Amino acid sequence: MTTQTIPPQSGTAFVLRKGQRLTVIDPQGQQVSDLVAFNANDTNEWLSSGRTLDYASKFLLTTGDTLYSNRSSPMLMIEQDDVGRHDFLLAPCSKEMFAKLYGHTEPHRGCFGNLVEALAPFGINPDQIPTAFNVFMNVQVDGTTGALSVEPPLSRAGQGTTFVALMDLVVGLTACSAGLSNNFTFKPIDFQLE
Amino acid sequence: MTTQTIPPQSGTAFVLRKGQRLTVIDPQGQQVSDLVAFNANDTNEWLSSGRTLDYASKFLLTTGDTLYSNRSSPMLMIEQDDVGRHDFLLAPCSKEMFAKLYGHTEPHRGCFGNLVEALAPFGINPDQIPTAFNVFMNVQVDGTTGALSVEPPLSRAGQGTTFVALMDLVVGLTACSAGLSNNFTFKPIDFQLE
């Protein structure tokens, strides 16, 4: 099994056939990887946070949990999970986000810009990119006040999360560009296809 | 100012011009209204839960809070809010949801089906419908376990929430069809445009 590397602050996209496994690995620890998915045979069907959280009746997803599409079809199942803490609430970081939340005057294009470029060859346009499943992202939630707080990931070097595809998919995957998400240590992400 | 009524388990859609106000009213209490919005001049731009929660750094939105599009543009601002408890995590109820979560064998088309019909004349297709801002929906969140629990709305008869449009919008709005969301009392929703 080959390990491929996504360099810091970049992204990639690939086809994952039904039954294939994708393992996302944090090679150095405390890094985040935004994952989006589309039906490879009809890219108008997309990974949906809203459907998935509704069917799971929880916002923390881990081993055994299924990620659903906007059409309520099972897309991915988490088969194995070393980390157990991921986010499915927040949109990918983007140049607008870096301007608004970080005050950057020459903002990076972020995971969003990286996904746009990686997904374009599959005919997916920027407005189709949904809220990502943010692998290893640690968003603490205060159920009383509603506060969301982005904390360093709990992932340690070499830990990973394995997804099995439940339909033919186009998957977009990044090594996250947002300092708050990865404790201001921009690192690569590794992945394996099986 | 005219009050319009959305009959139980149905939906509507209309243009809301920049600067116009929309007040969503719960005429009998304990009812939910799913709200989606699109840029009226380019319906590929849509109301985004993921962007909004990121910019707000919270999942509970009320007076003074702004709802953003997938392109990070301000779409709506909550100007006045009698209730203070709404949901922006869960997708609209649908026939697939009623089959999966309620075990219905002849499921209602739900808010999703009602939005599909109401938005079709504006050229918006079903796959473009995002996670709705669920006005008055009371989803309790356990920040530790991640559990999401749909509870009866806190809205009392006659209470409402006023939104001001920050761009020209197509708005879809429903009287919710899901028993858990409205304590199994399917009721109408009223709204006013100003």
Side-chain angles (χ1 to χ4, degrees):
Chain A
M1 196 162 28
T2 314
T3 299
Q4 299 179 66
T5 295
I6 305 174
Q9 297 193 296
S10 73
T12 188
F14 48 85
V15 170
L16 190 72
R17 294 283 168 208
K18 184 175 178 175
Q20 268 197 303
R21 281 166 180 75
L22 162 68
T23 300
V24 182
I25 298 161
D26 187 350
Q28 300 177 23
Q30 289 199 334
Q31 176 56 308
V32 165
S33 178
D34 287 15
L35 183 158
V36 294
F38 300 84
N39 178 344
N41 303 307
D42 180 355
T43 55
N44 289 311
E45 183 169 9
W46 42 274
L47 179 64
S48 169
S49 167
R51 289 271 163 242
T52 301
L53 301 190
D54 198 16
Y55 295 145
S57 296
K58 60 183 177 180
F59 73 88
L60 294 174
L61 302 170
T62 185
T63 309
D65 290 325
T66 299
L67 311 187
Y68 286 87
S69 77
N70 65 309
R71 297 181 193 164
S72 295
S73 303
M75 292 191 115
L76 290 157
M77 198 265 279
I78 304 177
E79 195 175 60
Q80 205 278 326
D81 188 4
D82 292 335
V83 178
R85 185 87 199 191
H86 315 284
D87 171 68
F88 208 5
L89 301 178
L90 302 183
C93 60
S94 66
K95 73 175 158 37
E96 294 82 4
M97 186 280 261
F98 286 121
K100 272 187 213 289
L101 294 185
Y102 289 69
H104 292 177
T105 50
E106 293 182 14
H108 191 273
R109 67 180 184 175
C111 286
F112 184 79
N114 290 327
L115 289 168
V116 167
E117 182 178 321
L119 293 165
F122 296 94
I124 294 162
N125 75 57
D127 288 319
Q128 290 180 263
I129 296 177
T131 296
F133 185 78
N134 302 304
V135 186
F136 312 135
M137 189 174 186
N138 178 13
V139 177
Q140 293 294 317
V141 174
D142 185 319
T144 307
T145 66
L148 302 175
S149 154
V150 180
E151 305 289 342
L154 304 180
S155 47
R156 297 190 307 273
Q159 289 191 318
T161 301
T162 300
F163 304 83
V164 56
L166 305 176
M167 65 166 71
D168 291 347
L169 295 171
V170 173
V171 172
L173 199 64
T174 71
C176 185
S177 300
L180 272 175
S181 294
N182 54 37
N183 209 12
F184 294 92
T185 58
F186 304 101
K187 291 168 178 168
I189 282 288
D190 287 352
F191 68 99
Q192 297 171 336
L193 302 180
E194 188 181 343
Chain B
M1 197 162 27
T2 314
T3 299
Q4 299 178 67
T5 295
I6 305 174
Q9 297 193 296
S10 72
T12 188
F14 48 85
V15 170
L16 189 72
R17 294 282 169 207
K18 183 175 178 176
Q20 267 196 305
R21 282 167 180 73
L22 162 68
T23 300
V24 182
I25 298 162
D26 186 350
Q28 300 176 23
Q30 290 198 335
Q31 176 55 307
V32 164
S33 178
D34 287 14
L35 183 157
V36 294
F38 300 84
N39 178 344
N41 302 307
D42 179 355
T43 55
N44 289 310
E45 183 170 10
W46 42 274
L47 179 64
S48 169
S49 166
R51 290 270 163 243
T52 301
L53 301 190
D54 198 17
Y55 295 145
S57 296
K58 61 183 177 181
F59 73 88
L60 294 174
L61 301 170
T62 185
T63 309
D65 290 325
T66 298
L67 310 187
Y68 287 88
S69 78
N70 65 309
R71 298 181 191 164
S72 295
S73 303
M75 293 192 114
L76 290 158
M77 198 267 278
I78 303 177
E79 195 176 60
Q80 205 278 326
D81 188 3
D82 292 336
V83 179
R85 185 87 198 192
H86 316 285
D87 172 68
F88 208 4
L89 301 179
L90 302 184
C93 60
S94 66
K95 74 176 158 38
E96 294 82 2
M97 185 280 261
F98 286 120
K100 272 186 213 289
L101 294 185
Y102 289 68
H104 292 178
T105 50
E106 293 182 13
H108 192 271
R109 67 180 184 176
C111 286
F112 184 78
N114 289 328
L115 289 168
V116 167
E117 182 177 321
L119 292 165
F122 296 94
I124 294 162
N125 74 59
D127 288 320
Q128 291 179 263
I129 296 177
T131 296
F133 185 77
N134 302 304
V135 185
F136 313 134
M137 188 175 186
N138 178 13
V139 178
Q140 293 293 318
V141 175
D142 186 319
T144 307
T145 66
L148 302 175
S149 156
V150 180
E151 305 290 342
L154 304 181
S155 46
R156 297 191 306 272
Q159 289 190 318
T161 300
T162 300
F163 303 84
V164 57
L166 304 176
M167 63 166 73
D168 291 347
L169 296 171
V170 173
V171 172
L173 198 64
T174 71
C176 185
S177 301
L180 272 175
S181 295
N182 53 38
N183 208 12
F184 294 93
T185 58
F186 304 101
K187 292 168 179 168
I189 282 286
D190 286 352
F191 68 99
Q192 298 171 338
L193 302 180
E194 187 182 344

